[in-house]
Amino acid sequence: MELAFRGRVIEWRGPAPYYFVAVPDDECADIREVAATATYGWGVVPVEARIGEVAFATSLFPKDGGYLLPLKNTVRVPQGVAAGDEVAVRMTVRL
């Protein structure tokens, strides 16, 4: 399953700051259709994603009926991406 969307980067401040892009509702609905097949536990869904020139593998976190795409510093920093920025995401759910 391949998806493309735009989203705003949000920062969650915990013991260390974490950055995420919320997956839009329409794409979340598509992901939910295959989530039971794709998840390896706790509702997380493995994906391969691309923001700009940086491709990376991670897992979507379920949150409030939707999903969050985590962004590590190795993804954000080379692209100059910060909290509040809108980014274009290309993503493939790994089944």
Side-chain angles (χ1 to χ4, degrees), residues 2-13:
E2 295 185 14
L3 305 165
F5 59 89
R6 295 188 69 76
R8 196 155 307 281
V9 176
I10 56 174
E11 181 180 8
W12 177 79
R13 292 188 176 260

Side-chain angles (χ1 to χ4, degrees), residues 13 16 55 65 89 94-95:
R13 292 188 176 260
V89 177
R94 293 184 289 161
L95 300 175

Side-chain angles (χ1 to χ4, degrees), residues 9-51:
V9 176
I10 56 174
E11 181 180 8
W12 177 79
R13 292 188 176 260
Y18 292 94
Y19 296 86
F20 300 92
V21 176
V23 178
D25 292 340
D26 288 345
E27 285 77 6
C28 284
D30 292 339
I31 294 166
R32 278 192 291 276
E33 290 180 14
V34 298
T37 304
T39 189
Y40 55 86
W42 304 287
V44 297
V45 176
V47 298
E48 293 177 6
R50 176 178 290 277
I51 294 177

